[in-house]
């Protein structure tokens, strides 16, 4: 408690947040970096540094905390929006479908499900027909996978799948089967795409024999190019009229072409093309001339051939910058698409290239690009602006990109997302008046969430009461949402503020701001234990850098440097470039914390601590140890892979894939790289390809990780019982290979699960017990399942109790134990699971089913609606649809089915329920018509 005096000293200081802004009384210019609360309290000697000097710019305070404004669309009724989208997609024409899937992507961004979003983009690309649209969507898919982070992978490299292949994207038309097709570009022969730019054409070369059947010649200066009149005439109507019409040229054997600005080499190329219909044999410069001639004389086939040849030559940024000017001048869509493809596949680096940004943002660009069409241009600028938003750009070019997105938008959702994001960027720039204008425009198009931006900008301009009234109006006139109460809490005070925050947490537990505010408030009131409980609670079910950073602040404030350092290490695992402590955390601070926490640990000590944290099911602690071990020895690349597995367990998909990509980049052997590549492919849904990588790795060297990958992928292929036994053999082979106890514990745990699937319960029990012998605590859950299947319910419950006692993260264990308990005890466990992790939806479904059994239908639907409000999950939507069907509310049942099918259009049970609901509704309508 003596450390609390430090708090009083820094009571007016500010915590860093994503959207930390000035208070309403602060000018729009922001606080000066020299203000007392922003000073970094450094020290020259980290070993003798004092506690106060470890605080970069003081403690967080409640009056300066505020949540960020989300930059994506947030429909006021997500289920209704998804239902509407599903119906429109099902009834759409071929030309509409691609853009509808892009709309689906935009609507679903608020859920943060990377795989779901990728599927939307895949469908948009699958249905795209125009080359420019295909180019943008293929580049978007590549960006979403962050392939630009892979070392040695060039922007124009093909990853082997046709849907992202840069060459396939340049082919007009759509192929609905393209999603899982392998690309054939590597098999294309040289003749199709050209054998280089160094082949020159001359009269003395191998084509000289073509002169034999010539019957006239084009003269260019003193040179003559002999041609076949009928072949040249066949190239276009203008040539036909020239050579066979009433013009003088039709009656002469020599035609002077000197005044047309065409070189002899280009005319020779024209002659050759007229005979053999190939342009890939000529230099790029010659093809450019041919393209100009084709445009002038309306030679459509020649023009197309030249565009294809030139497009295939655009292989790097320099060529793209050179060719794009000609493509714009000649309005050649294919060549321009090829250039755009290079720029887009270079993202996000392209956003920092002045030449590329000049093309997209100059005043002439809008007119020059207009021939691509408004739909393609909206797609182009929407993609560019989304990359800019992810890069957190607030520059003038970023505003131009968003403005162009708005200009080319045609539907309300397109305009709304551009205007809302423009408001968010202007808000970050502290141009509150302009931001408010754009938020209002977005809200006028039906995007209600933009009114949160309006109220926030009013607040920033000192209009607190006006902001409060606006949020009051929203709450009174719309179905309540957590974000509405969170926003109103900013303009409320005292008890009312806390009530709003409590309601926000109840309606939407995914919001982290209420927890952070309450934690800081309790810390200000010197309720230290309660402050930690508040922030611990949110970290248990939603691990974010800002919440970990806040807890690090609190640990530092009470002098617990070791725990502070642990959380800071975990933050860096989640986001390596995170600006901790307002961007004022330096290496000196980390060194000082490290020096004062513990003695330098040996590798063996770190492994012991890693085992301890792993056995305690403490994933945050495990992450911190892995970070420390990598800091001590960055060459231990396998730890990056372990880090990715831990992050996946914590539902940090983006961070996990980043760590896995880093492991792939730093792999020192082919086997290691094949394994990591297999996991990357598996994450993309390419199961067969991942299996191929695993088998290739095994063929080179038998290793635990290669066998483990193979077993994991095989188990995901929905094998029949006979094939499942093969997975057992693979896992048994993995256990014969060298590895540490942590990984072998996971393999034994997986082996037990496969044994259960095969009905081999005794073998499963042995596998789980062996895993427990090497401290794999999670094996208690598998062992409990074995006991339950053996009708030993009491033993199953006791086994889960052991897991609850040992684990730091207990919500999943309480949920699982409920399956083995009596009804009342099960309800208690599920209530506890919801308290620990309100994002888990199974407890809501269970409670709803119990209520339905008790014929309390309204309460059952309400219970499911609570979960759907913040996590509209497939199973929850399906169950609510079934409840609606049972109570005769067929239109609501159909709506929930449509929303669920928007998430997974192939879900068999929901498809049956949807069909049944529609049939019943149709039957009732026919009965009513008959009565009339």
């Amino acid at each position: 408690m003596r450390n609390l005096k430090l708090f009083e000293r820094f009571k007016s200081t500010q915590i860093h947040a994503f959207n930390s802004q000035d208070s309403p009384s602060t000018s729009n210019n922001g606080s000066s970096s020299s203000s007392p609360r922003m000073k970094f309290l450094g020290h020259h000697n980290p070993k003798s540094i004092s506690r106060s000097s470890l605080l970069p710019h003081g403690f967080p305070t409640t009056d300066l905390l505020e949540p960020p404004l989300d930059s994506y669309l947030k429909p006021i009724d997500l289920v209704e929006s998804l239902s509407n989208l599903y119906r429109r997609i099902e009834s759409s024409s071929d030309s509409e479908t691609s853009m509808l899937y892009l709309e689906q992507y935009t609507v679903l961004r608020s859920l943060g499900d990377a795989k779901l979003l990728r599927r939307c983009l895949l469908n948009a690309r699958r249905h795209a027909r125009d080359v420019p649209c295909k180019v943008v969507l293929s580049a978007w898919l590549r960006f979403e996978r962050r392939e630009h982070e892979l070392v040695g992978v060039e922007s124009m490299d093909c990853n082997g799948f046709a849907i992202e292949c840069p060459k396939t994207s340049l082919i007009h038309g759509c192929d609905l089967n393209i999603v899982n097709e392998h690309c054939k570009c590597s098999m294309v022969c040289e003749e199709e795409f050209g054998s280089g730019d160094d082949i020159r054409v001359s009269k003395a070369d191998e084509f000289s024999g073509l002169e034999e059947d010539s019957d006239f010649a084009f003269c260019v200066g003193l040179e003559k190019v002999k041609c076949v009149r009928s072949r040249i005439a066949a190239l276009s109507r203008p040539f036909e009229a020239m050579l066979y019409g009433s013009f003088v040229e039709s009656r002469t054997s020599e035609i002077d072409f000197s005044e047309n600005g065409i070189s002899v080499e280009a005319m020779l190329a024209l002659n050759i093309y007229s005979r053999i219909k190939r342009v890939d044999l000529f230099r790029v410069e010659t093809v450019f001339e041919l393209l100009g001639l084709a445009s002038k004389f309306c030679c459509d086939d020649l023009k197309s051939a030249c565009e294809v040849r030139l497009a295939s030559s655009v292989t790097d940024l320099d060529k793209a910058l050179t060719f794009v000017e000609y493509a714009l001048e000649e309005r050649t869509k294919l060549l321009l698409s090829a250039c755009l493809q290079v720029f887009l596949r270079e993202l996000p680096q392209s956003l920092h290239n002045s030449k590329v940004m000049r093309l997209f943002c100059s005043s002439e660009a809008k007119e020059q690009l207009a021939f691509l069409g408004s739909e393609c241009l909206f797609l182009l600028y929407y993609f560019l602006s989304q990359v800019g938003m992810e890069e957190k750009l607030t520059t003038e070019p970023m505003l131009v990109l968003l403005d162009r997105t708005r200009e080319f938008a045609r539907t309300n959702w397109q305009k709304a997302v551009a205007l809302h994001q423009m408001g968010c960027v202007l808000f970050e720039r502290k141009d509150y008046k302009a931001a408010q204008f754009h938020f209002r425009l977005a809200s006028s198009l039906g995007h209600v969430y933009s009114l949160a931006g309006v109220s926030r900008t009013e607040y920033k301009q000192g209009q607190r009461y006006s902001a409060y009234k606006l949020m009051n109006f929203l709450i009174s006139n719309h179905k309540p949402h957590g974000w509405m109460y969170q926003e109103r809490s900013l303009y409320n005070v005292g008890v009312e503020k806390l009530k709003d925050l409590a309601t926000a947490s109840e309606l939407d537990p995914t919001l982290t701001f209420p927890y952070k505010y309450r934690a800081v408030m309790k810390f200000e009131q010197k309720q230290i234990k309660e402050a930690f409980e508040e922030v611990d609670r949110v970290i248990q079910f939603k691990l974010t850098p800002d919440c970990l950073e806040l807890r690090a602040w609190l640990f530092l404030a009470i002098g617990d440097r070791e725990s502070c350092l642990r959380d800071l290490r975990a933050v860096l695992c989640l986001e390596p470039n995170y600006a901790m402590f307002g961007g004022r955390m330096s290496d000196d601070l980390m060194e000082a914390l490290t020096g004062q926490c513990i003695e330098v640990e040996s590798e063996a000590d770190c492994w012991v601590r890693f085992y301890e944290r792993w056995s305690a099911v403490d994933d945050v602690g495990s992450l911190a140890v892995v970070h420390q071990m990598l800091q001590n020895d960055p060459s231990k690349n396998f730890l990056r892979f372990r880090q990715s597995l831990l992050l996946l367990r914590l539902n940090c998909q983006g961070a996990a894939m980043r760590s896995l990509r880093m492991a792939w980049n730093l792999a020192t052997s082919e086997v290691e790289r094949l394994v990591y590549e297999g996991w990357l492919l598996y994450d993309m849904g390419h199961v067969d390809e991942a299996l191929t990588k695993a088998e290739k790795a095994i063929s080179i060297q038998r290793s635990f990780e290669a066998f483990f990958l193979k077993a994991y992928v095989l188990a995901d292929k929905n094998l029949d019982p006979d094939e499942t036994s093969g997975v057992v053999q693979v896992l048994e082979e993995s256990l014969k290979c060298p590895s540490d106890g942590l990984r072998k514990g996971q393999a034994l745990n997986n082996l037990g699960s496969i044994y259960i699937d095969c009905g081999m319960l005794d073998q499963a029990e042995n596998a789980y017990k062996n895993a427990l012998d090497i401290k794999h605590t999670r094996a208690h859950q598998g062992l409990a399942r074995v006991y339950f299947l053996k009708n030993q319910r009491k033993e199953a419950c006791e086994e889960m109790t052991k897991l609850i006692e040992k684990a730091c993260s207990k919500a999943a264990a309480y949920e699982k134990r409920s399956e083995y308990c009596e009804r009342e005890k099960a309800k208690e466990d599920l209530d506890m699971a919801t308290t620990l992790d309100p994002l888990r939806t199974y407890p809501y479904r269970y409670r709803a089913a119990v209520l339905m059994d008790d014929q309390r239908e309204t309460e059952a639907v309400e219970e499911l609606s609570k979960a759907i409000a913040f996590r509209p999950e497939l199973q929850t939507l399906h169950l609510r649809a079934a409840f609606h069907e049972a109570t005769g509310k067929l239109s609501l049942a159909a709506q929930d089915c449509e929303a669920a099918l928007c998430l997974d259009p192939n879900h068999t049970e929901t498809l049956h329920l949807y069909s049944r609901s529609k049939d019943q509704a149709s039957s009732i309508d026919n009965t009513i018509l008959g009565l009339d």
Side-chain angles (χ1 to χ4, degrees):
M1 296 298 289
R2 65 182 182 276
N3 299 321
L4 292 175
K5 294 181 180 178
L6 284 171
F7 177 76
E8 298 299 328
R9 180 179 174 188
F10 297 105
K11 194 168 184 179
S12 63
T13 55
Q14 175 180 342
I15 185 174
H16 165 71
F18 281 114
N19 272 28
S20 55
Q21 305 289 342
D22 299 330
S23 61
S25 60
T26 310
S27 69
N28 283 359
N29 294 326
S31 59
S32 168
S33 60
S34 61
S35 64
R37 73 168 186 261
M38 297 299 289
K39 286 183 179 177
F40 180 79
L41 303 176
H43 201 286
H44 295 295
N45 182 5
K47 295 297 181 183
S48 62
I49 207 162
S50 67
R51 178 178 302 162
S52 61
S53 61
L54 284 172
L55 300 171
H57 53 270
F59 293 106
T61 60
T62 51
D63 57 343
L64 291 171
L65 277 175
E66 66 178 57
L69 287 169
D70 293 328
S71 61
Y72 40 76
L73 291 187
K74 290 172 73 96
I76 197 71
D77 188 337
L78 183 55
V79 171
E80 183 181 346
S81 297
L82 293 177
S83 168
N84 179 265
L85 256 172
Y86 178 77
R87 292 196 305 273
R88 286 160 57 205
I89 289 171
E90 288 297 297
S91 61
S92 63
S93 63
D94 291 343
S95 60
E96 299 170 328
T97 308
S98 180
M99 199 54 71
L100 284 171
Y101 278 116
L102 186 67
E103 181 180 353
Q104 185 186 46
Y105 169 88
T106 304
V107 169
L108 290 173
R109 283 203 66 190
S110 61
L111 300 183
D113 187 331
K115 292 187 177 180
L116 188 57
L117 294 177
R118 179 172 174 80
R119 197 182 70 210
C120 295
L121 288 178
L122 283 170
N123 281 322
R125 167 64 181 86
R126 189 165 67 102
H127 288 86
R129 308 182 76 84
D130 290 341
V131 168
C133 293
K134 293 168 75 171
V135 160
V136 174
L137 290 165
S138 291
W140 202 331
L141 283 165
R142 182 182 189 275
F143 177 78
E144 288 290 325
R145 288 192 297 104
R146 299 299 191 271
E147 192 163 299
H148 56 274
E149 294 180 7
L150 297 177
V151 174
V153 177
E154 300 299 326
S155 62
M156 295 301 289
D157 287 350
C158 175
N159 69 352
F161 297 99
I163 201 159
E164 290 185 47
C165 173
K167 291 178 181 176
T168 305
S169 299
L170 296 176
I171 301 172
H172 184 76
C174 73
D175 178 3
L176 298 182
N177 298 317
I178 198 173
V179 173
N180 296 313
E181 282 187 2
H182 287 273
C183 183
K184 299 179 177 62
C185 64
S186 59
M187 301 167 59
V188 176
C189 59
E190 279 192 349
E191 287 79 13
E192 184 174 348
F193 285 99
S195 53
D197 297 342
D198 56 345
I199 297 179
R200 297 175 179 272
V201 179
S202 68
K203 286 183 285 186
D205 68 8
E206 62 182 313
F207 300 107
S208 57
L210 295 174
E211 298 174 8
E212 293 177 5
D213 57 353
S214 303
D215 53 8
F216 86 106
F218 285 115
C219 300
V220 181
L222 300 176
E223 299 282 351
K224 294 181 180 180
V225 180
K226 294 183 178 181
C227 305
V228 180
R229 187 179 294 268
S230 61
R231 292 185 179 276
I232 298 295
L235 295 177
S236 70
R237 285 293 184 86
F239 271 130
E240 183 182 15
M242 175 196 294
L243 298 173
Y244 286 109
S246 56
F247 295 100
V248 174
E249 288 83 356
S250 66
R251 298 186 294 277
T252 181
S253 60
E254 294 184 357
I255 301 173
D256 187 7
F257 245 52
S258 302
E259 302 301 319
N260 283 286
I262 305 294
S263 68
V264 175
E265 191 171 12
M267 293 309 297
L268 282 166
L270 180 69
N271 173 39
I272 294 170
Y273 174 79
S274 72
R275 299 170 187 244
I276 62 175
K277 295 296 185 287
R278 287 179 61 181
V279 296
D280 54 291
L281 304 170
F282 316 131
R283 294 186 311 141
V284 166
E285 293 81 359
T286 304
V287 180
F288 269 121
E289 282 195 80
L290 276 180
L291 182 58
L293 187 147
S295 298
K296 187 173 182 179
F297 287 91
C298 303
C299 305
D300 293 339
D301 290 343
L302 175 59
K303 183 178 180 181
S304 296
C306 290
E307 284 195 40
V308 171
R309 166 71 174 96
L310 292 171
S312 68
S313 300
V314 185
T315 54
D316 56 49
L317 191 60
D318 290 336
K319 285 184 179 178
L321 289 169
T322 301
F323 287 13
V324 72
E325 294 181 11
Y326 187 87
L328 290 170
E329 184 181 334
E330 293 294 326
R331 297 169 66 85
T332 58
K333 185 179 284 191
L334 183 63
L335 181 55
L336 178 57
S337 298
C339 297
L340 290 176
Q341 180 163 244
V342 174
F343 302 147
L344 298 178
R345 290 173 72 92
E346 289 277 353
L347 287 169
Q349 289 84 354
S350 297
L351 292 179
H352 306 286
N353 185 309
S354 58
K355 293 180 180 178
V356 174
M357 293 309 290
R358 194 178 304 119
L359 167 69
F360 292 128
C361 299
S362 66
S363 55
E364 302 84 18
K366 181 181 174 183
E367 184 178 341
Q368 289 176 325
L369 295 169
F371 71 94
L372 291 179
S374 60
E375 184 174 297
C376 289
L377 288 174
F378 168 78
L379 190 57
L380 170 65
Y381 281 101
Y382 184 35
F383 175 37
L384 289 168
S385 61
Q386 296 321 291
V387 176
M389 295 297 290
E390 290 198 26
E391 292 289 297
K392 297 181 173 60
L393 298 183
T394 58
T395 57
E396 287 294 332
M398 180 63 194
L399 293 177
V400 174
L401 293 177
L402 286 165
D403 194 49
R404 294 282 162 82
T405 306
R406 177 193 59 79
E407 288 181 38
F408 293 117
R410 289 293 175 267
T411 61
N412 279 355
W413 78 263
Q414 293 173 354
K415 296 173 185 176
V417 71
L419 289 165
H420 181 76
Q421 290 184 341
M422 178 76 87
C424 291
V425 172
L426 289 166
F427 185 83
E428 287 294 316
R429 289 165 63 96
K430 301 184 181 180
D431 188 350
Y432 299 129
K433 190 172 182 180
Q436 183 177 335
F437 173 75
H438 285 85
F439 283 134
R440 282 198 184 281
L441 286 178
S443 67
S444 71
L445 294 167
H447 188 230
V448 177
Y449 177 70
S450 291
L451 290 174
V454 174
S455 64
R456 192 78 67 90
T457 52
E458 288 180 338
Y459 173 63
K460 292 296 182 181
Q461 296 174 85
Q463 303 167 30
R464 183 172 189 153
Y465 183 60
S466 177
Y468 173 80
K469 284 200 303 181
L470 178 56
M471 295 314 299
N472 239 6
F473 171 80
L474 267 184
I475 291 170
S476 301
N477 290 274
H478 292 280
K479 180 182 176 182
H481 285 261
W483 62 262
M484 296 177 183
Y485 287 92
Q486 175 178 271
E487 194 65 31
R488 191 174 71 174
S489 73
L490 298 177
Y491 324 126
N492 235 326
V493 292
V495 175
E496 294 302 316
K497 187 184 194 82
L498 293 178
K499 283 182 180 178
D500 277 349
L501 290 171
T503 305
S505 292
E506 182 182 348
L507 292 174
D508 187 354
T510 65
L511 300 172
T512 59
F513 171 75
Y515 299 95
K516 291 166 62 178
Y517 183 91
R518 288 189 291 263
V520 174
M521 180 197 71
K522 289 172 181 177
F523 191 83
E524 287 178 347
Q525 297 169 353
K526 301 187 179 181
Q527 300 175 31
I528 308 302
K529 180 182 177 184
E530 291 79 1
F532 275 103
E533 286 174 350
E534 198 70 47
V535 73
D536 284 344
R537 185 183 172 197
V538 67
I539 286 173
Q540 279 188 69
F541 64 84
K542 189 170 183 181
L543 192 67
T544 60
D546 57 317
C547 290
L548 279 170
E549 180 196 25
L550 175 57
R551 192 168 70 175
W553 275 101
L554 299 180
F555 279 127
L556 193 56
I558 64 170
D560 187 348
R561 296 180 179 84
E562 188 169 343
S563 297
C564 173
L565 183 58
R566 178 203 62 201
D567 282 352
L568 294 182
R569 290 188 184 282
V571 169
L572 293 175
C573 289
L574 290 172
E575 199 169 322
N577 298 319
Y578 185 74
M580 287 186 289
F581 296 149
R584 280 165 158 60
M585 177 172 158
S586 67
D587 291 337
D588 287 343
L589 177 58
M590 181 70 91
E591 184 183 346
L593 283 168
T594 305
Q596 292 195 13
C597 287
I598 48 177
E599 296 296 325
V600 177
E601 287 185 299
S602 67
E603 183 180 352
D605 293 334
C606 288
W607 274 107
V608 168
R609 201 150 54 88
F610 191 18
Y611 267 86
E612 289 173 353
R613 295 300 87 217
W614 180 267
S615 299
V617 195
D618 177 8
D619 292 327
V620 173
S622 299
L623 269 182
V625 179
V626 169
H627 183 272
Q628 181 181 346
M629 293 166 77
L630 280 170
Q631 191 176 43
N632 294 342
D633 187 356
S635 67
K636 289 191 170 8
N637 196 41
F638 69 93
L639 288 171
R640 293 184 177 85
F641 175 58
R642 299 292 182 85
Q643 188 180 70
S644 73
L645 298 177
L646 280 166
L647 289 164
L648 278 175
R649 190 186 297 281
L650 289 162
N651 294 318
C652 301
Q653 175 79 11
M657 290 302 106
R658 185 193 306 116
S659 184
L660 186 54
R661 287 190 294 272
M662 181 63 73
W664 186 88
N665 286 338
L666 299 174
T668 56
S669 69
E670 186 180 359
V671 171
E672 190 181 4
R673 179 169 288 221
L674 284 167
V675 169
Y676 300 153
E677 191 175 353
W679 283 111
L680 287 169
L681 286 165
Y682 178 79
D683 178 70
M684 291 167 55
H686 299 302
V687 177
D688 291 333
E689 291 75 13
L691 184 59
T692 299
K693 297 294 180 184
E695 289 173 340
K696 185 175 179 181
I698 292 168
S699 69
I700 297 171
Q701 179 185 337
R702 293 167 56 86
S703 70
F704 173 88
E705 294 299 351
F707 278 114
F708 189 89
L709 170 61
K710 181 178 179 179
Y712 198 93
V713 173
L714 283 172
D716 194 47
K717 288 173 68 70
N718 296 319
L719 304 174
D720 59 42
D722 292 336
E723 292 174 309
T724 302
S725 61
V727 182
V728 171
Q729 293 174 4
V730 176
L731 281 171
E732 288 173 344
E733 288 298 318
S734 74
L735 291 167
K736 295 175 185 177
C737 299
S739 187
D740 58 80
L742 295 179
R743 291 299 279 153
K744 292 208 170 184
Q746 288 179 296
L748 286 165
N749 200 56
N750 288 8
L751 183 60
S753 179
I754 301 298
Y755 278 138
I756 289 176
D757 292 341
C758 296
M760 303 163 67
L761 298 184
D762 291 337
Q763 291 89 333
E765 183 176 346
N766 288 333
Y768 287 126
K769 287 181 176 178
N770 288 337
L772 288 170
D773 287 342
I774 52 177
K775 306 297 185 185
H776 189 78
T777 308
R778 287 182 174 89
H780 283 296
Q781 182 170 317
L783 188 55
R785 187 180 172 203
V786 171
Y787 289 145
F788 178 72
L789 293 172
K790 288 183 172 184
N791 293 319
Q792 299 172 7
R793 194 165 187 151
K794 180 183 176 183
E795 288 79 359
C797 191
E798 289 173 352
E799 204 63 38
M800 290 308 303
T801 302
K802 293 176 185 177
L803 178 57
I804 290 169
E805 290 170 351
K806 293 179 182 179
C808 291
S809 301
K810 304 175 187 292
Y814 275 110
E815 181 180 298
K816 197 66 181 174
R817 189 175 70 174
S818 71
E819 297 180 20
Y820 312 133
C821 299
E822 298 301 326
R823 181 163 165 171
E824 285 305 314
K825 180 62 176 175
K827 186 178 182 304
E828 288 178 14
D829 277 356
L830 290 173
D831 288 344
M832 178 59 74
T834 299
T835 300
L836 295 174
D837 183 355
L839 306 189
R840 304 185 75 88
T841 55
Y842 171 75
Y844 295 91
R845 295 199 302 272
Y846 178 90
R847 287 189 290 264
V850 170
L851 290 167
M852 199 69 179
D853 287 343
D854 294 341
Q855 297 184 345
R856 296 158 65 184
E857 293 91 349
T858 303
E859 293 172 73
V861 170
E862 287 174 354
E863 185 68 23
L864 292 175
S865 299
K866 289 178 189 176
I868 289 170
F870 61 83
R871 180 167 281 186
E873 210 174 53
L874 173 67
Q875 291 175 309
T876 316
L877 284 165
H878 175 86
L879 185 58
R880 191 172 72 171
F883 286 1
H884 282 315
E885 183 198 32
T887 55
K889 298 176 181 177
L890 298 177
S891 61
L892 291 176
Q895 184 181 76
D896 280 350
C897 285
E898 288 160 353
L901 291 170
C902 202
L903 302 175
D904 183 359
N906 300 316
H907 191 252
T908 306
E909 291 179 10
T910 304
L911 284 168
H912 290 330
L913 177 57
Y914 183 45
S915 176
R916 197 166 62 242
S917 298
K918 289 199 300 182
D919 289 344
Q920 290 179 39
S922 177
S923 176
I924 291 171
D925 290 342
N926 291 335
T927 302
I928 292 172
L929 286 172
L931 291 173
D932 290 342

